[in-house]
């Protein structure tokens, strides 16, 4: 069975994208004696900014019912360290999996500059513009919640690079589809969604927010229904114009297939890697079975199929 | 280690579906579990840990637990405390069940360099457990090992009264941990409340008594594990006496392999600038002098 | 221990409000041989409209990881049937628990008219204005996502009734705090939040959305971190002006205490009732223990305590 | 029942932590579980159900399962199919485990009025299970009971060849369900594929053969449980022959007690206007003539 998929002209051997922030800069999971690269379609690197970022005070992670709350705060060594040290190391290691640079900034100009510097690296396949990080004071969500602001960022990045541009969207807005449309009009070649939902855990012993940053971003199976709904909506509006990388709570082939049927041409896998580094292989195998069961010979036939199979007259009275 | 470029670190990590060989309860709600995990038993070093999925998908994230002992290159033993959902579920597994775990993880204690002449192990409460394999590994390499443990509750290991006299404490302070004595460590215990044979006070007072006392120590290194306040105090004593000191820090973790930046500890990086290091790869053992103790 | 609390002048014997839509019109759970009324602070009745509403086509409910997706579509017999038949039945039955009428409409005038008619009933303690239902085509969320629209509804209801007005807010917007502020300025006496998050489940056999309405509202433990964060935020902005009924995923005393520490003067319990009708009693007992452990003698001392206990300098760099 | 004012309906609901007395596997992945639940065993009527929490909090919502038999006013027996997460977890419980359940729920079959002379039970696949207690309850009250069951897989109850001749089917069609025969029902089975002793075709064809055949039936009522299409067809046959027909409908549920409106079935309300009824209180048994069959 063929799990090939194409995102903005980039060929992925499977639709599985290791979600930004959960797979570091692509090297850490290689320590597992049984990590299976062949199940990985692409790697989205940790969110990277112009200058090195310290990140948020710990604790940075908490478990919630079927979910995980994190507030890393975009800790990263800065674009120059990544371009000069990390990317050459990956190239020297012979990694051929397409890499997406996930870029963030506090200003439009910063996004553009990070984009420009990543564009000089030989082994970056695309830029993923993160306008959806809920864990930073400036930038991030401030851009992702407003169509005009989002468009400004995407336009600036578009002008700064020849690489394909993927825009990563936030569910923490009632205007996700509008934001998506604005990003597409501004030149985005693909969309990825969803980033995490704003959440909080209060520590009952200290009676204060558990995370150092107070709020964090909710990911994991708990948010999968939200992800499926948003992918479905964005696909309905924009699926004919560009591909969607759908993500949020995918931990098995069932969840991945839901995302694909809703409209994901590719599927991000994040939090699941924390408890099952074999998830990519298991999901890839399961997807092949799902396609076979559905009598489909190609993954692309399944993308968005839930729209075509919809009940006639579905929708409230 | 260069913290500025997110280097991967640590050796091969194995995922094992480990059969439970034994799961015994100890005083104070502690448990000792023995798991068949040869690849880890063969490679784990003192201070390293495994990341366990509690049975039946009770929790989403894995739980980090130190390797207490390795046995015959076959099994690992873990001492743990049933505090929350995950450790409670782990406490309930029976012989023959299989536990999904990954490891060995973390840097572990550095045993490669020149060993000190005197090793002083300082434990707060449960911090005793991860120091045991260190004591065992140091046996024969160092001239003498001391263990001081402070606790308000039952300790996870059996205690009794020592028959060995130590010059720097009152003779009626003689509570010890036989399992540590068996690997050559001299032990004394402390508690904030009055307990027979215990030093009444902070465990770090025992350390100070030793360092200021009559015993010849030579090149001395401290190794500590326990609550933040105790570690901070131990680090201060080390600094004051200009001694090396390693601390084992427990942080909440996501991936356990260095990818997610969840487990950060603030340390002094290049040029003394504070940066966050990952407890799961650059730690859990840190040079006490590198830790930014006021960050918590 | 005293679990009394006051919402908009109404005294509740416990802070536990049976959440609208999960407790019918207050009669169904009485069928349990061991349902404990004394743990219930108030009952929020099923969302009611001017005319009877058929509701959405089935299936209307699906299970998700640690959550439930529903798309009832406000099926209800209409305000007149409730006022003429249901409320007198409750009164005759001797129910003394305060009742909140949860009101919905497609137009501002409809909200006002429903409010007017409920105000004639002797046993309604307050109106809960539902501007947050994600499962109806018109009204609901359309009002709850926009501060100006929300204010129009609240103002109209405020003018139509002398009863206390509680406004029920939606998390499906990036502007929750703004909407809350507008509602308070328009005369709301209390706020309740959160309603459900928009979500979708796709049935892998039919490969189409499982729910008849395609999307539904996500509730249950999965959304608790989102609820805690939103209650925390709204309390920070408006806690000094009016009380908050916090809800979303509360199924035990730990979750209820989180909501209270975040700023909930009362706590809604919804989905948990489906799998544990004894939840109110268990939560009330557990809350007494939490207060005792914290050395607090009154519930009100715990309300919003997470703000006062916050780390100095908490927040991202 | 007046659907317009959300009336509570049904008797007292008990919550029971029910010890598992037995849990046996049957052909075709079916299981028969026996639970000690006296309050329910004493009060449950045919067609009523319980709402079960699978063990170890495997699922959030309870799972509705019909009461297949009540035994000695002490135990209830449930026949079920392991299809998903909840029923799989339930299949794994052992003797002595306790299962949290509530019940009895739903209206059940109406046995209060004048009984028909002939009762015709029509089952599709697993629909056989909830019809058994009905057959048992009708024994002695009606002159004759027929059971027709259609299935492509193994049925949840044992089958064999009947020794009784039925005039309206070919003599080589003789597959029967002995447990139903034991409570006085004449049975025949149907399958879409060729199976020895089975009628090849729709189960509803057997109903038509009976109704159009030579047997004297008198006042006849149909009772059906199974997939929507089969029920719709049965309802059409009943309408055509002007017979009463009760159908048991399985809908996804939230609360199980009438509070949440999750389990709606579209029926003709007052004045023939379509409204939604609650399968958990106004159902799961509905008069087939009241169901809006085109709503699905
Ligand atoms: C490197 C390392 C070694 C450890 N070694 C041991 C050991 O040998 N024996 C032992 O009993 N405990 C040890 N711990 C602590 C142990 O990880 C926690 O007690 C355990 O995770 C609690 O899980 P829970 O589900 O029971 O508690 P919960 O409170 O329900 O856990 C909730 C979340 O918080 C995390 N968490 C809670 N407490 C801690 C903690 N102290 N440290 C890190 N994360 C925590 C959990 O992992 C989980 O993600 C170690 C921790 C680390 C980081
Ligand atoms: C009144 C009634 C009586 C029933 N009696 C029996 C019986 O005696 N034996 C038996 O095997 N089954 C019976 N069923 C069906 C049984 O409820 C489902 O097979 C079961 O809920 C599936 O749960 P799961 O977790 O295994 O499957 P999943 O597919 O994982 O369930 C997911 C969700 O869908 C719901 N669901 C799935 N299938 C059905 C279904 N057919 N009907 C209602 N809800 C469903 C579940 O309750 C759950 O909420 C009955 C259903 C109803 C409504
Ligand atoms: C620890 C952690 C760190 C993350 N960091 C980033 C990031 O740097 N940039 C980004 O775009 N998304 C980041 N995300 C969001 C994920 O890429 C993904 O969108 C989200 O977690 C939902 O997918 P999941 O449920 O599969 O994890 C992070 C998520 C987690 C859990
Ligand atoms: C089946 C169902 C029906 C609901 N109907 C309503 C409603 O009519 N009006 C309303 O304001 N909220 C309604 N809600 C939302 C709940 O009142 C509550 O805000 C939400 O479920 C979150 O709380 P929970 O997680 O405790 O259920 C409904 C929720 C469910 C699950
Ligand atoms: S736990 Fe992920 S980097 Fe340490
Ligand atoms: S399941 Fe709640 S009304 Fe039927």
């Amino acid at each position: 069975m063929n799990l090939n998929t194409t995102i903005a002209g980039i060929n992925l051997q499977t639709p599985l994208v290791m979600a930004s922030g959960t797979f570091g800069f692509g090297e850490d999971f290689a320590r597992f004696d049984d990590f299976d690269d062949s199940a990985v379609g692409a790697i989205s690197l940790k969110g990277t900014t112009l200058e090195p970022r310290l990140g948020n005070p710990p604790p940075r992670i908490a478990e919630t019912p079927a979910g995980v709350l994190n507030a890393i705060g975009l800790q990263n060594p800065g674009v120059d360290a990544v371009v000069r040290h990390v990317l050459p190391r990956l190239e020297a290691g012979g990694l051929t999996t397409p890499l997406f640079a996930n870029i963030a900034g506090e200003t439009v100009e910063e996004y553009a500059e990070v984009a420009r510097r990543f564009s000089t690296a030989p082994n970056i396949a695309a830029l993923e513009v993160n306008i959806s990080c809920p864990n930073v004071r400036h930038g991030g969500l401030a851009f992702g919640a407003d169509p005009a602001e989002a468009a400004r960022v995407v336009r600036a990045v578009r002008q700064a690079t020849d690489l394909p541009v993927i825009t990563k969207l936030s569910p923490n807005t009632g205007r996700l589809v509008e934001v998506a449309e604005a990003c597409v009009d501004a030149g985005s070649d693909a969309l990825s969604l969803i980033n995490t939902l704003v959440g909080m855990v209060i520590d009952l012993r200290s009676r204060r927010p558990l995370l150092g940053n107070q709020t964090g971003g909710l990911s994991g199976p708990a948010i999968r229904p939200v992800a499926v709904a948003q992918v479905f909506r964005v696909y309905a509006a924009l699926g004919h114009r560009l591909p969607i990388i759908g993500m949020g709570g995918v931990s098995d082939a069932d969840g991945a297939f839901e995302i694909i049927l809703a409209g994901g041409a590719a599927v991000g896998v994040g939090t699941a890697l924390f408890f099952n580094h074999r998830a990519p292989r298991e999901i890839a195998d399961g997807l092949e079975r799902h396609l076979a069961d559905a009598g489909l010979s190609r993954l692309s036939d399944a993308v968005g199929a839930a729209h075509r199979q919809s009940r006639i007259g579905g929708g409230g009275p | 280690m260069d913290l500025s470029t997110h280097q991967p670190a640590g050796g091969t990590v194995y995922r094992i579906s480990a059969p439970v060989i034994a799961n015994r309860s100890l005083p104070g709600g502690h448990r000792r579990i023995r798991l068949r995990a040869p690849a880890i038993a063969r490679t784990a070093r003192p201070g390293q840990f495994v990341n366990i999925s509690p049975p039946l998908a009770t929790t989403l994230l894995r739980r980090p637990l130190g390797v207490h002992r390795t046995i015959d290159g076959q099994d690992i033993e873990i001492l743990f405390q049933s505090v929350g959902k995950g450790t409670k579920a782990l406490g309930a597994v029976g012989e023959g069940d299989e536990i999904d775990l990954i490891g060995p993880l973390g840097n572990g204690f550095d045993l490669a360099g020149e060993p000190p002449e005197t090793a002083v192990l300082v434990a707060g409460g449960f911090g005793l457990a991860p120091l045991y394999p260190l004591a065992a590994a140091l046996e024969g390499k160092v001239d003498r090992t001391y263990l001081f443990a402070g606790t308000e509750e039952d300790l996870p290991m059996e205690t009794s009264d020592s028959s060995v006299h130590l010059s720097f404490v009152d003779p009626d302070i003689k509570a010890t941990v036989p399992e540590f004595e068996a690997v050559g460590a001299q032990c004394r215990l402390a508690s904030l409340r009055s307990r027979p044979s215990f030093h009444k006070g902070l465990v770090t007072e025992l350390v100070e008594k030793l360092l200021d006392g009559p015993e010849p120590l030579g090149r001395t290194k401290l190794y500590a594990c326990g609550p933040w306040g105790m570690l901070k105090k131990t680090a201060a004593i080390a600094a004051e006496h200009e001694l090396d000191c390693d601390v084992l820090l427990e942080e909440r973790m996501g991936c356990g392999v260095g990818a997610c930046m969840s487990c950060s500890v603030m340390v002094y990086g290049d040029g003394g600038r504070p940066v966050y290091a990952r407890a799961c790869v650059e730690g859990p053992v840190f040079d006490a002098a590198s830790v930014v103790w006021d960050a918590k």
Side-chain angles (χ1 to χ4, degrees), chain A, chain B:
Chain A
M1 193 77 52
N2 191 344
L3 290 184
N4 269 11
T5 192
T6 305
I7 299 289
I10 308 155
N11 187 47
L12 314 187
Q13 61 183 341
T14 79
L16 305 180
V17 179
M18 304 302 97
S20 177
T22 64
F23 206 71
F25 287 96
E27 297 172 291
D28 310 293
F29 278 77
R31 287 174 58 202
F32 282 105
D33 70 326
D34 62 349
F35 191 80
D36 186 350
D37 285 317
S38 73
V40 174
I43 296 169
S44 180
L45 306 177
K46 174 65 190 169
T48 303
T49 49
L50 191 56
E51 301 296 331
R53 268 184 73 96
L54 208 50
N56 286 329
R60 292 178 172 183
I61 192 164
E63 188 168 314
T64 71
V68 165
L69 204 63
N70 91 80
I72 308 302
L74 288 179
Q75 175 176 349
N76 79 88
V79 61
D80 290 342
V82 175
V83 169
R84 280 191 219 137
H85 302 291
V86 182
L87 295 178
R89 225 157 57 205
L90 294 173
E91 219 186 358
L95 186 76
T96 57
T97 312
L99 303 177
F100 301 160
N102 182 278
I103 69 178
E106 298 193 359
T107 64
V108 172
E109 184 38 46
E110 199 182 321
Y111 276 99
E113 186 55 32
V114 179
R116 216 168 278 129
R117 298 195 193 179
F118 267 124
S119 305
T120 65
N123 52 343
I124 289 295
L127 302 179
E128 183 175 47
V129 186
N130 175 3
I131 53 169
S132 46
C133 181
N135 296 326
V136 293
R137 273 279 159 82
H138 307 285
L141 202 41
F143 294 112
D146 184 274
E149 290 295 297
R152 276 178 60 216
V153 175
V154 173
R155 213 173 296 115
V157 170
R158 176 71 290 163
Q159 277 158 15
T161 188
D162 291 329
L163 289 170
V165 173
I166 305 163
T167 312
K168 177 128 176 214
L169 303 176
S170 169
N172 298 295
T173 165
R175 307 172 75 187
L176 179 55
V177 173
E178 282 171 75
V179 171
E181 274 164 357
C183 293
V184 177
D185 291 341
S188 195
D189 303 297
L191 299 171
S192 62
L193 60 143
I194 57 174
N195 209 316
T196 54
L197 284 160
V198 174
M200 178 184 281
V201 165
I202 292 177
D203 179 36
L204 298 181
R205 272 167 298 229
S206 67
R207 299 195 296 286
R208 64 185 189 191
L210 190 146
L211 297 182
N213 187 49
Q214 300 197 332
T215 57
L218 185 64
S219 64
I223 70 166
R224 196 175 60 232
V226 176
V228 172
Q230 299 300 358
V231 170
F232 190 91
R233 284 181 167 182
V234 172
Y235 183 88
L238 294 162
H240 57 294
R241 293 181 61 188
L242 82 179
I244 297 166
I245 305 172
M247 73 189 93
V250 171
S251 63
D252 56 20
D254 285 4
F257 202 46
E258 274 196 74
I259 293 279
I260 290 166
L261 294 169
V267 180
V269 181
T271 304
L273 297 167
F274 295 175
F275 51 89
N276 181 15
H277 65 277
R278 288 183 197 154
R281 175 76 281 153
E282 291 170 11
I283 294 173
D285 291 347
L287 280 179
E288 296 199 339
R289 278 194 300 274
H290 275 305
L291 290 178
D293 291 350
L296 302 172
S297 55
R298 284 172 319 183
L299 183 78
S300 54
D301 296 333
V303 176
H307 298 259
R308 303 186 284 279
Q309 308 260 27
S310 287
R311 269 182 201 77
I312 296 141
Chain B
M1 161 158 301
D2 177 8
L3 291 177
S4 67
T5 71
H6 188 106
Q7 297 220 30
T12 301
V13 179
Y14 302 94
R15 177 185 187 158
I16 297 180
S17 215
V20 176
I21 305 301
N23 181 0
R24 292 209 316 273
S25 94
L26 304 173
H30 302 121
R31 301 195 74 90
R32 187 189 285 262
I33 195 168
R34 180 171 170 173
L35 300 165
R36 177 121 319 151
I40 296 175
R42 276 197 295 273
T43 53
R45 295 186 307 270
Q48 286 194 302
F49 62 98
V50 292
N51 226 351
I52 286 191
S53 279
L56 296 168
T58 326
T59 69
L60 202 63
L61 293 174
R62 293 175 182 273
R63 300 299 191 244
L65 294 169
V67 177
H68 176 64
R69 288 208 301 167
T70 62
I71 305 167
D72 300 337
Q74 279 271 24
D75 295 351
I76 60 171
E77 218 172 55
I78 291 165
L79 277 189
F80 69 98
Q81 216 169 357
S82 289
V83 292
K85 213 159 79 151
T87 48
K88 278 181 190 143
L90 188 61
V93 300
E95 249 176 77
D97 287 349
E98 300 209 338
I99 298 294
D100 171 10
L101 55 85
I102 60 172
L105 301 171
N107 57 356
F109 290 101
D110 183 7
L111 299 170
E114 168 104 356
E117 288 161 89
T118 301
V120 184
L121 281 47
V122 194
F126 211 81
L128 193 66
L131 293 180
Y132 173 80
L134 174 67
L138 291 172
E139 189 179 17
K141 288 201 182 149
V142 297
D143 295 341
R144 60 199 78 77
T145 300
Y146 292 97
L147 167 80
F148 302 121
T151 180
E152 305 313 305
E153 318 284 328
D154 279 329
L155 282 172
M157 297 170 84
E158 221 173 283
T159 61
S160 65
D161 279 355
S162 178
S163 53
V164 181
H165 173 71
L166 292 182
S167 63
F168 57 96
V169 286
D170 285 344
D172 55 330
I173 295 173
K174 49 184 192 262
T176 188
V177 184
E179 213 172 328
F180 272 85
E181 281 197 346
V183 292
Q186 300 304 328
C187 313
R188 284 302 179 267
L189 305 182
S191 174
L192 289 179
R193 55 194 173 88
S194 290
R195 292 171 74 174
S197 305
F198 277 58
H199 167 71
K200 185 174 177 194
L202 297 169
V203 63
T204 46
E205 290 163 8
L206 290 171
V207 180
E208 286 173 313
K209 278 180 197 290
L210 172 71
L211 298 179
D212 300 339
E215 315 262 332
L217 298 175
R219 223 163 0 83
T220 300
K221 181 166 179 178
L222 308 186
Y223 302 86
C225 183
W228 189 262
M230 185 218 94
L231 297 177
K232 187 173 173 177
K233 177 91 188 131
T234 307
I237 293 171
E240 196 189 315
H241 290 77
E242 297 186 351
L243 302 179
D244 277 350
C245 176
D246 276 358
V247 291
L248 192 154
L249 302 178
E250 297 186 354
E251 296 296 326
R252 288 170 187 260
M253 294 186 176
C255 67
V257 295
C260 75
M261 306 288 147
S262 294
C263 57
S264 298
V265 173
M266 194 177 262
V267 299
Y268 298 104
D270 299 338
R273 208 172 37 93
V275 294
Y276 283 113
R278 295 164 294 181
C280 71
V281 290
E282 282 99 34
V285 179
F286 290 92
D287 178 354
S290 76
V291 174
V292 181
W293 289 105
D294 289 330
K296 262 200 187 170

